[in-house]
Amino acid sequence: MDDTKIALVTGANKGIGFAIARGLGAIGFTVAVGARDGARREDAVGRLRAEGVDAFGVALDVTSDDSAAEAAATIERTAGRLDVLVNNAGIAGRSDNGAQDPTTLDLDVVRAVLDTNVLGVVRVTNAMLPLLRRAGSPRIVNMSSTMGSLTLRTGPVMAAYAPSKSMLNSVTAQYARRLADTTVIVNAACPGYVATDFTGFAAPRTPEQGAAIAIRLATLPDDGPRGGFFDDEGPIPW
């Protein structure tokens, strides 16, 4: 694997995450499929390998410090470094009975969403940074949403999910500032409204279309943008 770029995609067993893994594999990456569920993880690895992608599974629960550390150890043993990290794993959170109406907000739902969508990104990123620093042109892509844009305010009112993406965008900018004098390039991406189980498959975009911006940011040249928020059309207002 010495000359092959290695990418870890979290939540890669289905939907946009699987499409990102497939897309990176198609351009020659060895892909680490990060997922909690062992059976689904190995099924995804099998499907990728059947398509000719060099893939291996990594047990990863982004809500667990220990799991993030163990995932980093697995990648170190298997590949010795990491070229790309795509923080794709995320949850919408429960929205029944006004759980995400700001006037009746269920704080337990907020905590759960933040633990995955924000703290999970921090856990995994910090666990993987030593491996990323060994790569020649390391890239970090955080999968966000225009629902987190304070300017656009798109989508339904979801007072746990949308603010989690606003905070993720801010955290992305903080990482980019901290790593500005390194080769690590960090950006956030919005895949658009994609037909997955996340949206009840009632959306116009395919997972492959949603994955395109992540793949583009994962393969930026060394003089590419840092600390930005992008979709297929270009920069997104914060």
Side-chain angles (χ1 to χ4, degrees):
M1 287 189 184
D2 287 351
D3 298 324
T4 303
K5 288 194 172 185
I6 315 300
L8 169 63
V9 182
T10 69
N13 59 295
K14 61 181 179 177
I16 296 169
F18 183 80
I20 295 169
R22 173 193 275 155
L24 289 171
I27 58 175
F29 278 79
T30 291
V31 181
V33 175
R36 287 182 301 178
D37 186 284
R40 292 179 180 175
R41 182 175 63 247
E42 292 314 308
D43 176 68
V45 169
R47 285 186 286 146
L48 290 169
R49 288 177 176 169
E51 296 180 12
V53 173
D54 186 10
F56 63 97
V58 175
L60 179 55
D61 177 354
V62 303
T63 67
S64 164
D65 293 352
D66 289 344
S67 180
E70 289 165 9
T74 297
I75 293 170
E76 180 158 28
R77 286 193 304 270
T78 306
R81 71 170 193 284
L82 188 63
D83 297 274
V84 167
L85 168 61
V86 181
N87 285 305
N88 167 76
I91 61 172
R94 189 171 59 78
S95 59
D96 60 299
N97 298 318
Q100 294 207 40
D101 180 326
T103 66
T104 54
L105 189 59
D106 187 327
L107 297 185
D108 287 336
V109 172
V110 176
R111 293 184 186 99
V113 171
L114 290 177
D115 197 22
T116 294
N117 295 2
V118 181
L119 304 186
V121 169
V122 173
R123 285 188 191 96
V124 174
T125 298
N126 289 351
M128 300 300 162
L129 268 173
L131 292 169
L132 286 160
R133 289 179 184 274
R134 296 178 192 172
S137 299
R139 306 289 180 259
I140 300 172
V141 182
N142 295 331
M143 297 305 289
S144 185
S145 168
T146 54
M147 286 181 66
S149 167
L150 299 178
T151 301
L152 299 180
R153 304 179 195 178
T154 63
V157 172
M158 293 185 71
Y161 177 77
S164 80
K165 294 303 185 179
S166 302
M167 187 172 180
L168 175 60
N169 289 347
S170 183
V171 166
T172 300
Q174 293 296 308
Y175 273 110
R177 291 179 65 195
R178 174 64 179 82
L179 298 169
D181 61 348
T182 76
T183 57
V184 184
I185 294 180
V186 188
N187 288 291
C190 175
Y193 193 36
V194 175
T196 65
D197 58 358
F198 197 83
T199 60
F201 298 96
R205 288 168 63 82
T206 66
E208 289 71 27
Q209 288 172 316
I213 183 60
I215 295 166
R216 187 184 312 167
L217 294 174
T219 55
L220 284 174
D222 291 341
D223 61 352
R226 293 169 175 258
F229 182 25
F230 302 93
D231 64 10
D232 288 343
E233 303 302 317
I236 300 171
W238 296 112

